[in-house]
Amino acid sequence: MNALFNIGFILRFCLLTGAFLALSGCQTQRNIAFDAANPAVTIKPYGIYFAEEKVSASELPEILEDLGVPKTRTIHIQLDENVRDLSEARFVMGMLAKAGYTRPVLVTKRHAESMAVGKKKPSRFSGPQNGRNPQVKQIRYKRAGE
């Protein structure tokens, strides 16, 4: 009888432990950087994304509160380069302000471009100018009376 009780107890314990693990799911900690180089919030033409997961504008303040983001922290909201209408971005910033977040900032991907403007200046090593070869210099000797 004692052996059956132990086997039954072990089976119940294993079933309850398995059920608990199955219902609790996998809990992973997310490290999300809130800086300009890696904005956590992105607005694309087809929705709002927080850490690559699609969310609604009304869910965003709740997510930030659940993560413990301070209300005074700067929240960089990246606009996708294909977004032409800023009304959704304004709505998201309004929702954050309504929730008490004081520093939402719109950012775009950094893109730098440069080009030369104006006439090309001749280089001093580009060859003869005005009939003179700049690489050959005339040496002037002083006379005895100078």
Side-chain angles (χ1 to χ4, degrees):
M1 185 72 176
N2 230 357
L4 287 176
F5 176 72
N6 287 338
I7 292 175
F9 176 75
I10 291 172
L11 284 175
R12 277 188 258 137
F13 178 75
C14 289
L15 285 174
L16 286 174
T17 305
F20 175 74
L21 291 175
L23 292 175
S24 67
C26 190
Q27 294 185 3
T28 58
Q29 179 140 359
R30 298 193 305 186
N31 291 328
I32 299 170
F34 290 96
D35 57 356
N38 305 311
V41 182
T42 306
I43 297 178
K44 297 182 180 181
Y46 39 87
I48 303 167
Y49 289 82
F50 180 80
E52 303 300 325
E53 294 179 22
K54 191 170 184 175
V55 296
S56 69
S58 59
E59 292 174 332
L60 192 56
E62 295 172 14
I63 293 171
L64 293 173
E65 286 177 11
D66 290 345
L67 290 173
V69 177
K71 304 273 184 179
T72 57
R73 178 174 226 146
T74 302
I75 300 170
H76 295 88
I77 304 169
Q78 181 180 5
L79 289 175
D80 191 63
E81 54 196 32
N82 298 324
V83 173
R84 300 289 176 230
D85 185 19
L86 295 178
S87 62
E88 193 168 19
R90 288 185 190 120
F91 182 71
V92 169
M93 290 177 75
M95 292 297 290
L96 291 173
K98 194 175 188 180
Y101 290 95
T102 57
R103 300 181 69 189
V105 177
L106 292 177
V107 296
T108 59
K109 285 187 179 178
R110 293 181 182 232
H111 176 73
E113 201 174 294
S114 66
M115 66 159 115
V117 179
K119 294 181 180 179
K120 183 178 178 183
K121 294 182 180 178
S123 171
R124 33 178 239 181
F125 302 108
S126 63
Q129 298 170 351
N130 300 333
R132 285 184 30 201
N133 190 350
Q135 295 172 350
V136 178
K137 293 185 177 182
Q138 294 282 336
I139 299 175
R140 181 178 171 270
Y141 295 99
K142 290 187 179 182
R143 295 184 188 157
E146 290 183 350

